[in-house]
Amino acid sequence: MNTLNPLTLNRLMGYYHYIDRHIGRDSDQTISSATLSKLLNIDDTQIRKDLAVIGVKGQPHVGFSSREIVGAIRGVLGFDLSRPAVVVGAGRLGGALASFKDFHDYGLRTAAIFDNNPQKIGQTIGDQVVQPMDRLETVIRDSQAQLGILTVPAHAAQQVADRLVQAGLTALWNFAPTRIAAPDHVSVRHEHLAAGLAELLYHLKNPLSTDAAT
Amino acid sequence: MNTLNPLTLNRLMGYYHYIDRHIGRDSDQTISSATLSKLLNIDDTQIRKDLAVIGVKGQPHVGFSSREIVGAIRGVLGFDLSRPAVVVGAGRLGGALASFKDFHDYGLRTAAIFDNNPQKIGQTIGDQVVQPMDRLETVIRDSQAQLGILTVPAHAAQQVADRLVQAGLTALWNFAPTRIAAPDHVSVRHEHLAAGLAELLYHLKNPLSTDAAT
DNA sequence: TAGATTGTTAATCGATTAACAATC
DNA sequence: TAGATTGTTAATCGATTAACAATC
């Protein structure tokens, strides 16, 4: 299997969610690329190619098995694992992310949550007690966390990211409104909410452009 | 000016944030496309094109004015306005978004926050009191809100979206983990956090692919 | 079988990058 | 002036879509 690019991954998530929601993860139903195409507004050739990449084979004259599609995607993305993650920043957003039960279903588990504000340390969020920043390295080592979720202010983001990388994390999910740098072996996803907002605001200002953005 | 596509918008936000953070919004400094190119890792031709699209002209032998770039982007995206938005869903994420002060700086203002849970109604979040859902239409009309932020459970998302559209909103920012449909004149942005997460998890599983995603 | 559907190759489209003349 | 930098046209690249033979 070739390495999947972000566009492919995004479409795969589309197939996954559609089936999970409308057919059910454990049901089985045959579905043709043409049907999915209409439902999701994605070219049917594209769908067949995407499914081929993750090893799902269809039957001519019949279609694809919904269960196989869901299974393959969960397998490829590792949704059945339980990967520990640490959240740094116990603000409202950090709290929201740390306690998202949905994430369990994607193979993620909140191992710990940190903050440097003494007022926040000791508070309980979800099923975690907020810990002081000086525990970061120890907890990461002991929990074998791989992923770090950053919900700290922009000015602190790079410094926190450096510490997380130093402590051995190889994936960072950054919600701070700034771009952070990391070594090549670390994958960083910038979940820059304001950038998404800007897109909507632009459409508000220019109602002519009718394309619905993702 | 042509209508900006999402990719262009995204790059523009990159220029904007870099300058805002590293030069300052009110400072002025000349900066060449080659310099920005190195800093942001974006082709310099691309940068000149992007700036041309929003009407920023550079000076040969000199470069671009940082202040002009920032000003043009703020103008094009309407960051100096104060557009009222309503938040539906007063959970942790809804609360986090409703009280993000950062958003003010992008021309957004939380006009109201709604929930259907009697326990939540009446609570104060940021500077808003959570209101019952039956007030939705009235408040939207009175506040002239244009944008709706959805942080409701997936199963309720479509129904809420329909009500918001019916009430006159023309832009929806959807944080529910499901795709919602809306008429053509409404722009919808799906801020599907789990889809972003999937990308990181995939990289954790396939560390070979070293590209840092955005 | 006939018709529907997959799988894959070829064509198209759009975005990115290279080249380079114009400018100061 | 010489050299740096913009602005724009042309070439390249990659992603999407169309075409169609293979399959059941």
XYZ file of all heavy atoms in Angstrom, chain C:
492
model
P -23.330 -15.124 -23.544
O -22.622 -16.035 -24.459
O -23.396 -13.718 -23.789
O -24.746 -15.787 -23.274
C -25.821 -15.729 -24.252
C -26.887 -14.802 -23.750
O -27.070 -15.006 -22.312
C -26.563 -13.308 -23.903
O -27.629 -12.667 -24.590
C -26.449 -12.771 -22.483
C -27.317 -13.756 -21.709
N -26.957 -13.865 -20.255
C -27.801 -13.338 -19.317
O -28.838 -12.785 -19.622
N -27.399 -13.488 -18.024
C -26.256 -14.107 -17.563
O -26.005 -14.175 -16.373
C -25.383 -14.640 -18.584
C -24.117 -15.303 -18.232
C -25.779 -14.492 -19.883
P -27.451 -11.216 -25.189
O -28.412 -11.032 -26.289
O -26.009 -11.042 -25.424
O -27.891 -10.290 -23.977
C -29.230 -10.354 -23.477
C -29.391 -9.339 -22.372
O -28.607 -9.749 -21.232
C -28.899 -7.933 -22.724
O -29.734 -6.986 -22.087
C -27.479 -7.893 -22.195
C -27.600 -8.762 -20.951
N -26.387 -9.505 -20.611
C -25.373 -9.875 -21.444
N -24.408 -10.535 -20.844
C -24.831 -10.606 -19.530
C -24.265 -11.172 -18.382
N -23.106 -11.826 -18.387
N -24.947 -11.064 -17.222
C -26.126 -10.427 -17.226
N -26.763 -9.846 -18.240
C -26.059 -9.974 -19.373
P -29.510 -5.417 -22.200
O -30.807 -4.778 -22.435
O -28.358 -5.206 -23.109
O -29.038 -5.063 -20.720
C -29.697 -5.643 -19.608
C -28.918 -5.316 -18.363
O -27.742 -6.151 -18.300
C -28.420 -3.875 -18.296
O -28.540 -3.452 -16.958
C -26.970 -3.977 -18.720
C -26.602 -5.319 -18.106
N -25.461 -5.988 -18.713
C -25.057 -5.927 -20.024
N -23.989 -6.643 -20.252
C -23.680 -7.214 -19.014
C -22.625 -8.084 -18.641
O -21.744 -8.550 -19.348
N -22.687 -8.413 -17.292
C -23.639 -7.960 -16.419
N -23.550 -8.366 -15.154
N -24.629 -7.134 -16.749
C -24.584 -6.809 -18.062
P -28.340 -1.944 -16.532
O -29.643 -1.370 -16.159
O -27.490 -1.289 -17.549
O -27.488 -2.112 -15.197
C -27.790 -3.172 -14.309
C -26.559 -3.465 -13.499
O -25.580 -4.133 -14.332
C -25.868 -2.222 -12.939
O -25.618 -2.482 -11.570
C -24.584 -2.092 -13.746
C -24.312 -3.530 -14.149
N -23.592 -3.705 -15.410
C -23.877 -3.115 -16.618
N -23.061 -3.488 -17.590
C -22.205 -4.394 -16.975
C -21.122 -5.141 -17.463
N -20.711 -5.107 -18.723
N -20.480 -5.939 -16.581
C -20.894 -5.985 -15.316
N -21.897 -5.324 -14.748
C -22.515 -4.535 -15.640
P -25.210 -1.340 -10.585
O -25.831 -1.650 -9.289
O -25.408 -0.027 -11.249
O -23.646 -1.560 -10.464
C -23.144 -2.731 -9.854
C -21.692 -2.864 -10.228
O -21.560 -3.075 -11.652
C -20.844 -1.623 -9.950
O -20.052 -1.848 -8.804
C -19.995 -1.448 -11.192
C -20.236 -2.740 -11.964
N -20.089 -2.543 -13.423
C -19.143 -3.292 -14.079
O -18.444 -4.121 -13.528
N -19.044 -3.036 -15.425
C -19.786 -2.120 -16.149
O -19.611 -1.981 -17.350
C -20.752 -1.365 -15.397
C -21.597 -0.333 -16.086
C -20.856 -1.612 -14.079
P -18.899 -0.780 -8.377
O -18.972 -0.719 -6.914
O -18.956 0.451 -9.192
O -17.597 -1.584 -8.805
C -17.385 -2.887 -8.290
C -16.246 -3.568 -9.034
O -16.489 -3.440 -10.462
C -14.865 -2.962 -8.770
O -13.964 -4.020 -8.467
C -14.495 -2.258 -10.070
C -15.323 -2.992 -11.111
N -15.769 -2.154 -12.268
C -15.297 -2.451 -13.523
O -14.501 -3.345 -13.746
N -15.786 -1.639 -14.535
C -16.690 -0.608 -14.413
O -17.053 0.027 -15.390
C -17.145 -0.350 -13.065
C -18.136 0.752 -12.821
C -16.671 -1.114 -12.066
P -12.536 -3.683 -7.781
O -12.042 -4.915 -7.161
O -12.672 -2.439 -7.004
O -11.640 -3.376 -9.052
C -11.272 -4.455 -9.898
C -10.378 -3.945 -11.024
O -11.149 -3.099 -11.910
C -9.190 -3.103 -10.556
O -8.068 -3.600 -11.274
C -9.561 -1.669 -10.949
C -10.445 -1.888 -12.159
N -11.471 -0.883 -12.427
C -12.272 -0.251 -11.496
N -13.132 0.582 -12.038
C -12.877 0.491 -13.411
C -13.503 1.154 -14.499
O -14.429 1.976 -14.476
N -12.946 0.764 -15.725
C -11.931 -0.145 -15.875
N -11.527 -0.386 -17.108
N -11.342 -0.772 -14.852
C -11.863 -0.412 -13.664
P -6.635 -2.978 -11.232
O -5.655 -4.046 -11.493
O -6.554 -2.122 -10.041
O -6.683 -2.048 -12.525
C -6.572 -2.658 -13.793
C -6.410 -1.567 -14.836
O -7.623 -0.761 -14.892
C -5.287 -0.573 -14.546
O -4.712 -0.205 -15.772
C -6.012 0.603 -13.956
C -7.244 0.588 -14.859
N -8.378 1.422 -14.414
C -9.178 1.965 -15.380
O -9.005 1.791 -16.566
N -10.198 2.745 -14.898
C -10.490 3.018 -13.572
O -11.421 3.735 -13.269
C -9.607 2.405 -12.612
C -9.820 2.638 -11.154
C -8.609 1.650 -13.073
P -3.207 0.227 -15.885
O -2.327 -0.830 -15.403
O -3.157 1.598 -15.296
O -3.026 0.376 -17.460
C -4.066 0.030 -18.361
C -4.523 1.248 -19.146
O -5.600 1.931 -18.443
C -3.443 2.312 -19.385
O -3.445 2.664 -20.757
C -3.881 3.479 -18.505
C -5.399 3.318 -18.540
N -6.125 3.971 -17.421
C -7.245 4.700 -17.700
O -7.684 4.860 -18.821
N -7.839 5.267 -16.598
C -7.442 5.164 -15.279
O -8.063 5.708 -14.393
C -6.257 4.374 -15.053
C -5.728 4.210 -13.671
C -5.662 3.824 -16.122
P -2.533 3.838 -21.312
O -1.992 3.352 -22.601
O -1.636 4.308 -20.237
O -3.569 5.011 -21.613
C -4.748 4.742 -22.366
C -5.512 6.036 -22.541
O -6.110 6.405 -21.273
C -4.655 7.225 -22.964
O -5.407 7.975 -23.925
C -4.411 7.984 -21.669
C -5.717 7.721 -20.917
N -5.631 7.763 -19.451
C -4.677 7.183 -18.656
N -4.881 7.372 -17.367
C -6.047 8.124 -17.315
C -6.794 8.651 -16.247
N -6.455 8.491 -14.964
N -7.912 9.360 -16.548
C -8.237 9.516 -17.838
N -7.615 9.062 -18.929
C -6.519 8.368 -18.595
P -4.980 9.457 -24.344
O -5.397 9.624 -25.758
O -3.593 9.698 -23.928
O -5.960 10.327 -23.450
C -7.345 10.355 -23.777
C -7.999 11.503 -23.041
O -7.761 11.335 -21.625
C -7.477 12.890 -23.407
O -8.610 13.737 -23.560
C -6.575 13.280 -22.241
C -7.241 12.544 -21.076
N -6.332 12.147 -19.995
C -5.115 11.541 -20.111
N -4.540 11.276 -18.962
C -5.447 11.736 -18.020
C -5.431 11.742 -16.616
N -4.421 11.255 -15.882
N -6.506 12.276 -15.984
C -7.514 12.758 -16.726
N -7.648 12.808 -18.056
C -6.566 12.267 -18.645
P -8.409 15.318 -23.772
O -9.528 15.792 -24.598
O -6.994 15.575 -24.140
O -8.643 15.857 -22.299
C -9.922 15.636 -21.702
C -9.893 16.262 -20.319
O -8.824 15.678 -19.540
C -9.643 17.767 -20.336
O -10.715 18.337 -19.608
C -8.289 17.936 -19.646
C -8.244 16.702 -18.752
N -6.909 16.197 -18.345
C -6.667 15.978 -17.010
O -7.485 16.200 -16.140
N -5.416 15.471 -16.722
C -4.423 15.178 -17.626
O -3.349 14.732 -17.254
C -4.742 15.426 -19.019
C -3.731 15.139 -20.075
C -5.954 15.921 -19.299
P -11.097 19.864 -19.755
O -12.562 19.980 -19.860
O -10.198 20.461 -20.774
O -10.679 20.408 -18.324
C -11.119 19.696 -17.154
C -10.179 20.002 -16.032
O -8.926 19.341 -16.246
C -9.844 21.487 -15.908
O -10.505 21.962 -14.748
C -8.320 21.537 -15.794
C -7.940 20.082 -15.550
N -6.621 19.656 -16.085
C -5.698 19.081 -15.209
O -5.980 18.964 -14.005
N -4.499 18.657 -15.694
C -4.226 18.782 -16.998
N -3.052 18.349 -17.419
C -5.166 19.359 -17.908
C -6.335 19.785 -17.411
P -10.498 23.514 -14.385
O -11.808 23.843 -13.778
O -9.980 24.248 -15.557
O -9.402 23.564 -13.240
C -9.466 22.633 -12.167
C -8.183 22.752 -11.374
O -7.093 22.136 -12.109
C -7.734 24.190 -11.109
O -7.175 24.194 -9.823
C -6.676 24.431 -12.178
C -6.012 23.062 -12.154
N -5.172 22.730 -13.287
C -5.359 23.022 -14.621
N -4.400 22.565 -15.387
C -3.533 21.938 -14.503
C -2.305 21.261 -14.750
O -1.736 21.061 -15.814
N -1.736 20.779 -13.560
C -2.289 20.925 -12.316
N -1.612 20.400 -11.295
N -3.435 21.547 -12.077
C -3.992 22.034 -13.215
P -6.977 25.531 -8.950
O -8.215 25.733 -8.189
O -6.483 26.586 -9.859
O -5.805 25.135 -7.953
C -5.511 23.769 -7.724
C -4.009 23.587 -7.641
O -3.461 23.385 -8.967
C -3.248 24.766 -7.052
O -2.237 24.234 -6.230
C -2.684 25.469 -8.277
C -2.348 24.250 -9.127
N -2.196 24.494 -10.555
C -3.014 25.219 -11.381
N -2.609 25.236 -12.637
C -1.464 24.466 -12.626
C -0.565 24.090 -13.640
N -0.697 24.458 -14.920
N 0.482 23.310 -13.297
C 0.611 22.937 -12.016
N -0.162 23.212 -10.976
C -1.197 24.000 -11.354
P -1.430 25.155 -5.191
O -1.632 24.572 -3.872
O -1.717 26.592 -5.477
O 0.073 24.890 -5.623
C 0.486 23.559 -5.891
C 1.725 23.605 -6.744
O 1.399 24.053 -8.080
C 2.812 24.566 -6.245
O 3.959 23.766 -6.020
C 2.974 25.580 -7.381
C 2.485 24.798 -8.583
N 1.945 25.571 -9.745
C 2.523 25.384 -10.980
O 3.475 24.640 -11.171
N 1.946 26.117 -12.003
C 0.869 26.980 -11.902
O 0.456 27.567 -12.895
C 0.310 27.124 -10.579
C -0.860 28.022 -10.370
C 0.868 26.424 -9.577
P 5.317 24.382 -5.424
O 5.967 23.320 -4.672
O 5.002 25.686 -4.805
O 6.185 24.655 -6.736
C 6.452 23.557 -7.601
C 7.144 24.070 -8.841
O 6.229 24.861 -9.626
C 8.355 24.962 -8.574
O 9.429 24.378 -9.287
C 7.936 26.339 -9.104
C 6.935 25.953 -10.173
N 5.905 26.960 -10.542
C 5.720 27.240 -11.869
O 6.383 26.740 -12.762
N 4.742 28.161 -12.124
C 3.929 28.798 -11.210
O 3.070 29.599 -11.572
C 4.159 28.441 -9.834
C 3.333 29.074 -8.752
C 5.131 27.555 -9.565
P 10.917 25.002 -9.237
O 11.872 23.865 -9.060
O 10.919 26.144 -8.321
O 11.096 25.533 -10.732
C 10.703 24.704 -11.818
C 10.900 25.461 -13.119
O 9.800 26.378 -13.327
C 12.177 26.297 -13.178
O 12.682 26.155 -14.490
C 11.682 27.714 -12.881
C 10.314 27.691 -13.549
N 9.315 28.599 -13.015
C 8.967 28.780 -11.706
N 7.995 29.653 -11.530
C 7.687 30.062 -12.821
C 6.742 30.982 -13.313
N 5.913 31.668 -12.538
N 6.693 31.169 -14.653
C 7.532 30.468 -15.430
N 8.466 29.577 -15.073
C 8.484 29.423 -13.751
P 14.082 26.825 -14.906
O 14.790 25.837 -15.752
O 14.743 27.409 -13.721
O 13.588 28.028 -15.842
C 12.622 27.778 -16.855
C 12.318 29.078 -17.579
O 11.348 29.830 -16.810
C 13.529 29.986 -17.767
O 13.459 30.525 -19.073
C 13.349 31.050 -16.689
C 11.820 31.153 -16.620
N 11.283 31.631 -15.353
C 11.710 31.323 -14.088
N 11.008 31.893 -13.127
C 10.048 32.608 -13.815
C 8.986 33.433 -13.380
N 8.718 33.667 -12.096
N 8.219 34.002 -14.334
C 8.482 33.758 -15.621
N 9.444 33.006 -16.156
C 10.200 32.453 -15.187
P 14.695 31.338 -19.708
O 14.759 30.955 -21.131
O 15.877 31.194 -18.828
O 14.164 32.835 -19.616
C 12.880 33.167 -20.135
C 12.535 34.584 -19.748
O 11.954 34.607 -18.420
C 13.758 35.520 -19.678
O 13.396 36.776 -20.188
C 14.001 35.633 -18.189
C 12.558 35.678 -17.726
N 12.348 35.529 -16.272
C 11.212 36.122 -15.699
O 10.414 36.711 -16.435
N 11.027 36.029 -14.357
C 11.915 35.379 -13.608
N 11.681 35.322 -12.307
C 13.079 34.785 -14.176
C 13.255 34.879 -15.489
P 14.352 37.554 -21.190
O 14.618 36.631 -22.313
O 15.461 38.128 -20.407
O 13.415 38.737 -21.699
C 12.037 38.485 -21.988
C 11.167 39.537 -21.317
O 11.103 39.282 -19.893
C 11.712 40.950 -21.466
O 10.609 41.836 -21.615
C 12.441 41.194 -20.151
C 11.532 40.438 -19.186
N 12.184 39.978 -17.972
C 13.382 39.330 -17.848
N 13.696 39.033 -16.607
C 12.629 39.511 -15.876
C 12.359 39.507 -14.498
N 13.172 38.963 -13.586
N 11.206 40.082 -14.087
C 10.394 40.620 -15.003
N 10.537 40.676 -16.327
C 11.689 40.104 -16.692
P 10.786 43.413 -21.670
O 9.790 43.936 -22.624
O 12.223 43.689 -21.837
O 10.354 43.877 -20.208
C 8.975 43.837 -19.854
C 8.810 44.541 -18.528
O 9.587 43.867 -17.522
C 9.300 45.994 -18.524
O 8.334 46.775 -17.833
C 10.634 45.939 -17.803
C 10.404 44.799 -16.822
N 11.595 44.072 -16.407
C 12.601 43.594 -17.210
N 13.548 42.967 -16.550
C 13.139 43.028 -15.231
C 13.702 42.544 -14.031
N 14.857 41.874 -13.983
N 13.036 42.783 -12.883
C 11.870 43.452 -12.931
N 11.239 43.953 -14.001
C 11.927 43.703 -15.125
P 8.568 48.302 -17.575
O 7.253 48.939 -17.422
O 9.564 48.786 -18.558
O 9.262 48.271 -16.142
C 8.464 48.074 -14.989
C 9.363 48.166 -13.777
O 10.477 47.271 -13.923
C 9.971 49.557 -13.572
O 9.458 50.050 -12.351
C 11.480 49.321 -13.532
C 11.553 47.834 -13.201
N 12.771 47.109 -13.593
C 13.478 46.463 -12.609
O 13.143 46.480 -11.442
N 14.597 45.795 -13.051
C 15.055 45.712 -14.351
O 16.063 45.077 -14.612
C 14.270 46.405 -15.340
C 14.680 46.378 -16.765
C 13.181 47.068 -14.923
P 9.296 51.581 -12.095
O 8.009 51.808 -11.402
O 9.622 52.308 -13.344
O 10.466 51.841 -11.039
C 10.399 51.182 -9.774
C 11.805 51.041 -9.246
O 12.578 50.247 -10.152
C 12.557 52.358 -9.110
O 12.759 52.611 -7.724
C 13.870 52.140 -9.869
C 13.928 50.615 -9.980
N 14.699 50.079 -11.118
C 15.666 49.097 -10.849
O 15.855 48.734 -9.677
N 16.378 48.590 -11.874
C 16.141 49.003 -13.128
N 16.857 48.449 -14.107
C 15.162 49.983 -13.420
C 14.465 50.496 -12.389
